């Protein structure tokens, strides 16, 4: 009874202290933030007025510039109509440029190509602009839409040039002498100065709130004005504002509390045209007076709580915590995988029941794990059977012989091979290696295999490099897992022995001549399939004679490792294929000899990657 009473006494005193502290703290906090809100609103109204003045000044300057350039570019178009020589004679065009006072004049034909231009030598060489296609640049592409349109005039706003970030303005109008457009360009350094003088960043240093507060001026999520220079140019996300609050700030007005660069702030936000004003004050400044009273309350309360806590903690430690700690030690071993661990805490009836419940649960868990493991093994075996059944069957054709094998490092793998008759005189064959292993690689493999086969069969007359280009684009689409596959694809003309092939990042095949000599097949090592769309591939050819053969393999052969972590390697492979063993080996034994040499090299080391091989012999 005594222990129970002490516990309830501790709870009662703590709750009474917490309620009194909370009420005082709440009322003082509410008053502090109300005063801060009024101050922020006042300063934000000042900011709105100053922003409006700046925007009106800058708009007036821009309107004058745009109107002047529109008239000038139409004048140049009229001059070209009256004196066609200006359109073709670079010297005359340069004279016109100097008269007009612009930095650039471009004469653009109906194809969007600059066919004549005059450039201020300080800016660049006019010859470098001849033949430039306006469609290829984001800044010039909008002018292309005016080609062929009557009375087309477009004046772009001043934009920073890529070469020096100086403001540069372009205007264009329809040519009157021929189909096309004429373009003017000029450096607007005076406008740059005007924009700098009217920059939002120049406003905020004078718009501080209190000691540590300020007005943040936003365009979208980007800070374009702030009293602290280090905040200008940053985004709300980069200073610690979460996305939900950012969405609220961009849509209306209200108040918020958030951390900015690790400091808690109270703030208001309001829209002003296309800008958002955010006024903030650090919480420590808002609540500085409240905190003094709170500290006094905390000190008095802690002294009282400490006396009660010390008397109660010993009791709780002895009865509850020690027993829980011992149970947690056993649970830690169980969660680490030691399922044979037993919980044996009998300090009280409650602990005895808890120990028994944990032990019963662990036993049930062991049974469930065993059952799940059995089920998964069964499903993996089924998946392996499905994968193997998808491999092609050996053809009985007097014009060629094919031998192939595949051994996955896991139950299912990412390697695959395929061969099939395209038409009466052509045989397609391929080998591939998908990045990764296991079920994901196997699923990606099945998709790649199906697309390669269907594209080759459905487009028998299409160049092989274009077929692989289409397959790559199709596989890249929706490839969220970012997997890729290396592929070697060949099409053999069974009448002439001409081999057409494309290599997409795969190991170079080995050619075995009829006399037993072996060498690497010359290949252009193209990019993998699935890595990046719109990649071009190279189609190559090689002449096979009757009884010549070609060996395809995956890197599970050349990257097989022995216990010393040494790789089998390309040198050992070509040495074996060109050596006396393979010279005398029958064609149907070549894969067995290679596999045996790989196993001998591995010397018992576990297989780390899928091993897939295919040998094609051309009989003529």
């Amino acid at each position: 009874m005594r222990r129970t009473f002490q516990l309830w006494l501790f709870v009662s005193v703590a709750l009474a202290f917490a309620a009194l502290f909370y009420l005082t703290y709440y009322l003082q906090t509410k008053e502090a933030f109300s005063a801060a809100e009024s101050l922020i609103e006042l300063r934000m109204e000042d900011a709105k007025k100053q922003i409006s003045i700046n925007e009106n000044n800058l708009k007036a300057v821009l309107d004058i510039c745009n109107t002047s350039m529109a008239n000038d570019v139409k004048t140049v178009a009229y001059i070209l109509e009256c004196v066609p020589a200006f359109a073709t004679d670079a010297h005359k065009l340069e004279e016109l440029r100097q008269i007009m006072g612009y930095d650039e004049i471009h004469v653009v034909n109906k194809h969007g190509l600059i066919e004549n231009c005059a450039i201020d030598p300080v800016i660049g060489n006019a010859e470098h602009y001849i033949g430039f296609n306006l469609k290829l640049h984001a800044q010039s592409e909008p002018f292309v839409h005016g080609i062929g349109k009557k009375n087309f005039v477009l004046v772009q706003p001043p934009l920073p040039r890529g070469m020096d970030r100086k403001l540069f303005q372009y205007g264009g109008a329809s040519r009157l002498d021929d189909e096309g457009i004429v373009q003017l360009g000029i450096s607007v350094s005076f406008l740059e100065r005007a924009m700098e003088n009217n920059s939002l960043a120049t406003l905020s240093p004078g718009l501080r709130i209190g000691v540590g507060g300020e007005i943040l001026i936003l365009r979208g999520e980007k800070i374009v004005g702030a009293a602290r220079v280090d905040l200008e140019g940053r985004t709300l996300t980069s200073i610690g504002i979460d996305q939900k609050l950012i969405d609220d700030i961009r849509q209306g007005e209200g108040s918020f509390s958030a951390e900015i660069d690790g400091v808690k702030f109270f703030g208001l936000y309001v829209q002003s045209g296309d800008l958002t004003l955010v006024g903030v004050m650090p919480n420590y400044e808002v609540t500085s007076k409240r905190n003094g009273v709170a500290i006094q309350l905390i000190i008095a309360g802690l002294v009282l709580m400490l006396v009660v806590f010390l008397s109660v903690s010993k009791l709780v430690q002895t009865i509850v915590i020690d027993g829980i700690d011992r149970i947690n030690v056993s649970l830690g071993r169980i969660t680490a995988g030691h399922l044979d661990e037993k919980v044996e805490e009998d300090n009280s009836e409650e602990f005895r029941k808890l120990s028994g419940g944990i032990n019963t649960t662990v036993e049930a868990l062991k049974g469930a794990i065993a059952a799940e493991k059995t089920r998964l093994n069964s499903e993996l075996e089924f998946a392996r059977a499905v994968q193997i059944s998808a491999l092609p069957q050996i053809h009985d054709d007097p014009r060629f012989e094919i031998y192939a094998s595949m051994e996955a490092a896991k139950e299912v793998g990412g390697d695959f091979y395929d061969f099939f008759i395209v038409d009466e005189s052509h045989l397609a064959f391929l080998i591939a290696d998908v990045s990764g292993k296991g079920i994901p690689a196997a699923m990606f493999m099945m998709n790649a295999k199906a697309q390669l086969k269907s594209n080759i069969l459905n487009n028998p007359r299409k160049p092989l490099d274009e077929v692989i280009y289409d397959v790559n684009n199709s596989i890249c689409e929706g490839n969220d897992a970012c997997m890729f596959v290396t592929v070697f694809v060949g099409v053999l003309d069974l009448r002439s022995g001409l081999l057409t092939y494309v290599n997409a990042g795969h190991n170079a095949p080995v050619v075995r001549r009829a006399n037993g000599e072996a060498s690497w097949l010359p290949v252009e090592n193209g990019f993998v399939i699935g890595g990046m769309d719109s990649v071009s591939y190279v189609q190559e050819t090689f002449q096979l004679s009757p009884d010549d053969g070609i060996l395809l393999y995956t890197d599970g052969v050349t990257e097989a490792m022995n216990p010393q972590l040494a790789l089998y390697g390309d040198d050992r492979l070509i040495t074996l294929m060109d050596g006396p063993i393979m010279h005398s080996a029958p064609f149907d034994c070549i894969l067995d000899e290679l596999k045996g040499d790989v196993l001998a090299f591995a010397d018992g080391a576990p297989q780390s990657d899928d091993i897939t091989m295919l040998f094609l012999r051309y009989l003529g």
Side-chain angles (χ1 to χ4, degrees), residues 68-378:
S68 175
M69 177 167 276
N71 291 332
D72 287 345
V73 75
K74 288 189 290 184
T75 299
V76 172
Y78 177 74
I79 292 173
L80 263 63
E81 180 186 25
C82 296
V83 186
F86 281 108
T88 57
D89 190 323
H91 296 291
K92 288 185 176 294
L93 195 64
E94 172 61 19
E95 293 176 0
L96 179 60
R97 181 193 70 78
Q98 295 178 11
I99 293 172
M100 297 296 295
Y102 281 83
D103 294 321
E104 298 180 8
I105 298 181
H106 302 298
V107 179
V108 182
N109 63 23
K110 64 181 180 181
H111 303 294
L113 303 179
I114 296 177
E115 61 182 13
N116 193 14
C117 66
I119 307 292
D120 187 336
V122 176
I123 295 177
N125 189 336
E127 294 181 357
H128 294 165
Y129 288 75
I130 300 300
F132 177 77
N133 191 340
L134 269 60
K135 299 176 183 178
L136 303 180
H137 195 278
Q139 188 175 15
S140 59
E141 193 271 341
F143 290 100
V144 178
H145 300 298
I147 297 176
K149 294 181 180 179
K150 187 176 181 180
N151 300 324
F152 170 79
V153 179
L154 172 64
V155 177
Q156 290 183 325
L159 298 172
R161 291 198 310 177
M163 63 178 72
D164 53 16
R165 308 306 295 169
K166 294 240 181 240
L167 283 181
F168 215 81
Q169 187 172 30
Y170 285 97
S174 302
R175 289 175 61 179
L176 304 177
D177 61 313
D178 196 358
E179 186 175 357
I181 62 169
V182 61
Q183 225 183 10
L184 294 180
I186 188 170
S187 170
V188 285
S189 55
F190 75 94
L191 185 59
E192 187 174 27
R193 290 192 297 273
M195 293 180 69
E196 183 177 346
N197 293 334
N198 287 276
S199 171
L200 296 174
T202 63
L203 302 179
S204 293
L207 296 177
R208 283 196 171 275
I209 304 175
V211 177
E214 62 185 313
I215 300 289
L216 302 179
I217 304 176
L218 309 178
R219 179 170 279 111
E221 190 188 339
K222 186 177 181 181
I223 301 173
V224 295
R228 288 187 290 164
V229 178
D230 61 304
L231 292 180
E232 293 178 6
R234 297 175 63 182
T235 63
L236 293 181
T237 301
S238 70
I239 65 174
I241 306 298
D242 62 64
Q243 189 59 49
K244 182 179 182 304
L245 178 55
I246 292 174
D247 294 339
D248 293 339
I249 290 175
R250 295 178 64 180
Q251 292 177 3
E253 59 182 67
S255 61
F256 68 93
S257 293
E259 285 193 6
I260 299 178
D261 287 342
V263 178
K264 291 185 177 180
F265 280 81
F266 167 73
L268 302 177
Y269 55 89
V270 66
Q271 307 303 313
S272 178
D274 63 339
L275 301 175
T276 302
L277 304 185
V278 180
V280 294
M281 285 185 69
N283 281 14
Y284 66 79
E285 186 174 341
V286 175
T287 60
S288 57
K289 294 181 180 180
R290 178 207 65 186
N291 292 343
V293 177
I295 290 174
Q296 295 176 5
L297 285 175
I298 290 173
I299 293 174
L302 286 177
V303 171
L304 178 63
M305 289 292 297
L306 182 62
V307 174
V308 179
F309 175 76
L310 290 176
S311 61
V312 174
S313 62
K314 180 64 176 177
L315 176 65
V316 175
Q317 178 73 36
T318 302
I319 293 181
V320 180
I321 297 179
D322 288 346
I324 292 177
D325 286 343
R326 288 188 288 270
I327 290 177
N328 282 338
V329 171
S330 295
L331 286 176
R333 290 182 55 79
I334 291 172
T335 55
H338 302 284
L339 298 184
D340 293 329
E341 175 76 12
K342 296 294 183 182
V343 180
E344 298 177 351
E345 182 60 42
D346 57 359
N347 200 28
S348 65
E349 180 63 26
E350 289 78 9
F351 278 127
R352 282 193 292 272
K353 291 181 179 179
L354 178 60
S355 300
I358 292 174
N359 292 333
T360 301
T361 301
V362 171
E363 288 298 324
L365 179 62
K366 289 167 65 177
I369 290 174
E372 182 66 13
K373 185 176 181 180
T374 301
R375 184 186 67 81
L376 287 175
N377 288 337
S378 176

